[in-house]
């Protein structure tokens, strides 16, 4: 900038000559008009309005002018800068509008595209069946109990009156859990039944006790149409004053009626379980052949092995020895217990002829059951 000088003549200052100012203004306006993007406009803005632009330098010269010349020079530069800023703002608005229009086209969402491109899974029907069973019992005032799948051998067998020589303890049925040193007698097994939850419930709570528990159990069974080595059972236990076999019968009949319906016949067969006396097994008429395959080699039934019935589970009046092992007074209380196979219930509920379909994890099996909750 030139030094202040009283005799300074603005006409002599090159930068303040009107034609120079107009040229700088016109160049700026032309540069803005020529910018085709916001980035280009930004560069033009720096070049034509920044500190080193012709108009900024000219503006700075005003300070050095004698007072009488400042107003005219100020007006000249001010008008030029006003025109430049106006042209800049106008082009800015245009380019922003162009960008917004482009983005709207480029990023448009096609609302007609199918929304479910990633196929969803579905809850396994055994899970929803377990919840339905629990709901049925909760509605009858039962509480939900649970126990671990790796269970103490004592709870899985001894406390249930299954002596050390009971055949169910043999290697054919039970997955024993090895001890850390590799020896087979860790005292733990993969539970073969949910019945240890009976003991756990009785040890936890004095009667009256009404508890139900659904969970996985493990047996060294071969996989076939009606067996799998990992399956689920629902265990129920009721201990109170005056409980009879009749209460047990009514409870199971209600459960079967709610879950499967009343169309198929139920059969009660005397049986033996060391932890119940008397004991029974509950069978449901085969939903595939409805008994027509029995004694009829021309029409065999794979689902019930031509027996006409599918076993749902075992039950009985709790053996007083089990009550004693669980700290319950058998003189005052009696109870019933039952253990039913969930896979068998599901087979009957949804006409699944082969249990292998349930365990293979194929979503095509699961999907048709929908999202029952
Ligand atoms: C028991 O497991 C006894 N704990 C049931 C019980 C509980 C009796 C309380 C008395 C009082 P069982 O071994 O029969 O019983 O098995 C019960 C049910 O589990 C069978 O009827 C069947 O429905 C189901 N089940 C047994 N083995 C398999 C298997 N390998 N695959 C699928 N379901 C099975």
């Amino acid at each position: 900038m030139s030094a202040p000088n009283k005799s300074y003549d603005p006409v002599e200052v090159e930068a303040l000559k009107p034609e120079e100012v107009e040229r700088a203004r016109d160049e700026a306006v032309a540069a803005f008009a020529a910018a085709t993007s916001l980035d280009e406009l930004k560069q033009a803005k720096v070049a034509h309005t920044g500190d080193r632009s012709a108009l900024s330098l000219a503006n700075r010269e005003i300070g050095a002018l004698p007072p009488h010349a400042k107003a005219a020079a100020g007006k000249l530069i001010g008008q030029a800068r006003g025109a430049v800023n106006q042209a800049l703002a106008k082009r800015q608005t245009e380019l922003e509008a162009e960008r917004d229009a482009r983005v709207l086209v480029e990023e448009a969402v096609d609302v007609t595209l199918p929304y479910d491109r990633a196929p969803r899974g579905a809850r396994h029907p055994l899970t929803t069946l377990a919840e339905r069973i629990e709901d049925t019992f909760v509605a009858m005032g039962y509480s939900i109990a649970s126990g671990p799948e790796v269970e103490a051998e004592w709870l899985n067998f001894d406390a249930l009156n299954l002596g050390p020589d009971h055949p169910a303890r043999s290697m054919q049925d039970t997955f024993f859990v090895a001890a850390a040193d590799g020896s087979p007698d860790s005292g733990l097994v993969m539970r073969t039944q949910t019945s240890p939850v009976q003991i756990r419930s009785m040890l936890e709570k004095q009667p009256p006790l009404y508890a139900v528990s659904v969970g996985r159990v493990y047996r060294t069974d071969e996989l076939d149409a009606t067996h799998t080595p990992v399956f689920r059972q629902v265990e129920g236990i009721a201990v109170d004053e005056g409980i009879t076999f009749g209460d047990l019968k009514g409870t199971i009949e209600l459960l079967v009626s709610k879950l499967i319906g009343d169309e198929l016949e139920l059969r009660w067969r005397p049986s033996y379980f060391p932890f119940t006396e008397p004991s029974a097994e509950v069978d449901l008429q085969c939903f595939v052949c409805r008994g027509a395959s029995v004694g009829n080699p021309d029409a065999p039934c794979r689902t019930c092995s031509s027996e006409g019935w599918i076993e749902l589970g075992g039950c009985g009046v709790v053996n007083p020895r089990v009550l004693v092992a669980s700290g319950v007074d058998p003189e005052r209380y009696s109870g019933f217990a039952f253990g039913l196979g969930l896979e068998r219930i599901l087979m009957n509920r949804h006409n699944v002829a082969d249990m292998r379909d349930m365990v293979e994890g194929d979503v095509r099996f699961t999907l048709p059951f929908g999202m029952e909750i």
Side-chain angles (χ1 to χ4, degrees):
M1 187 169 70
S2 313
N5 187 338
K6 278 196 179 292
S7 61
Y8 190 85
D9 182 355
V11 181
E12 295 305 314
V13 180
E14 185 68 17
L16 288 173
K17 285 187 176 159
E19 57 275 24
E20 283 306 314
V21 172
E22 275 163 25
R23 193 169 59 81
R25 180 198 64 197
D26 293 346
E27 275 177 13
V29 171
F32 297 156
T36 56
S37 70
L38 286 164
D39 278 347
E40 281 179 25
L41 186 64
K42 199 171 163 190
Q43 284 170 14
K45 178 184 172 187
V46 172
H48 294 280
T49 66
D51 284 351
R52 308 195 133 273
S53 65
L55 286 176
S56 294
L57 291 174
N59 193 47
R60 257 182 270 162
E61 292 294 345
I62 296 172
L65 293 178
H68 71 272
K70 276 186 179 169
K75 190 177 171 197
L76 180 70
I77 298 295
Q79 279 175 343
R81 289 178 105 191
V84 167
N85 285 336
Q86 229 177 354
L88 175 65
K90 180 169 168 274
R91 191 62 185 141
Q92 178 90 16
T93 307
E94 287 168 3
L95 289 174
E96 277 175 0
E98 273 176 31
R99 179 206 54 197
D100 291 348
R102 196 173 52 250
V103 165
L104 278 178
V105 172
E106 284 171 0
E107 296 180 10
V109 175
D110 183 353
V111 292
T112 64
L113 281 176
Y115 69 95
D116 206 10
R117 278 179 292 175
R120 281 202 214 131
R123 300 184 77 208
H124 198 282
L126 283 170
T127 310
T128 47
L129 177 63
E131 287 171 5
R132 188 172 276 263
I133 291 173
E134 286 175 350
D135 286 350
T136 306
F137 280 99
V138 166
M140 288 195 274
Y142 281 60
S143 58
I144 306 291
S146 66
E149 292 174 18
V150 179
E151 182 58 284
E153 205 172 334
W154 186 82
L155 286 166
N156 195 73
F157 294 127
D158 300 82
L160 287 161
N161 202 27
L162 275 111
D165 299 325
H166 194 281
R169 280 173 105 128
S170 72
M171 295 300 278
Q172 279 94 54
D173 289 319
T174 309
F175 287 108
F176 288 90
V177 176
D181 65 3
S183 67
D185 51 0
S186 66
L188 295 172
V189 294
M190 299 307 292
R191 66 178 179 186
T192 58
Q193 49 187 351
T194 42
S195 296
V197 183
Q198 288 178 30
I199 309 293
R200 286 178 174 275
S201 302
M202 284 191 277
L203 288 173
E204 251 172 45
K205 186 183 177 299
Q206 279 297 306
L209 167 72
Y210 293 85
V212 73
S213 178
V214 182
R216 275 196 204 94
V217 301
Y218 300 80
R219 289 187 197 175
T220 57
D221 285 343
E222 293 288 332
L223 184 63
D224 65 24
T226 51
H227 292 86
T228 137
V230 183
F231 58 101
R232 288 157 189 79
Q233 288 186 338
V234 47
E235 191 81 17
I237 174 126
V239 183
D240 205 341
E241 288 179 11
I243 293 272
T244 67
F245 196 90
D247 298 316
L248 166 65
K249 222 169 158 244
T251 306
I252 292 189
E253 279 169 2
L254 181 110
L255 180 69
V256 171
S257 155
K258 279 215 163 256
L259 295 177
I260 301 170
D262 299 316
E263 229 181 88
L264 298 168
E265 218 179 298
L266 260 190
R267 179 174 79 169
W268 294 81
R269 235 175 342 112
S271 186
Y272 171 74
F273 293 99
F275 36 97
T276 46
E277 181 58 41
S279 305
E281 244 149 351
V282 190
D283 300 335
L284 194 69
Q285 200 179 30
C286 174
F287 64 92
V288 177
C289 71
R290 298 194 177 223
S293 66
V294 183
N296 183 359
D298 296 336
C301 179
R302 200 170 56 129
T303 303
C304 66
S305 306
S306 301
E307 287 179 9
W309 298 93
I310 297 174
E311 181 190 307
L312 288 185
C315 59
V317 173
V318 180
N319 190 321
R321 294 177 69 165
V322 174
L323 293 179
V324 171
S326 312
V328 175
D329 178 4
E331 298 296 326
R332 183 169 172 201
Y333 295 108
S334 58
F336 69 70
F338 60 86
L340 313 179
L342 249 70
E343 283 75 3
R344 301 276 175 91
I345 297 175
L346 190 74
M347 287 179 88
N348 285 285
R349 183 172 155 82
H350 292 292
N351 294 0
V352 182
D354 196 321
M355 198 178 280
R356 281 168 285 207
D357 291 336
M358 292 180 203
V359 299
E360 279 166 356
D362 190 330
V363 77
R364 285 171 298 179
F365 170 75
T366 317
L367 278 173
F369 292 93
M371 294 304 286
E372 183 186 359
I373 47 172

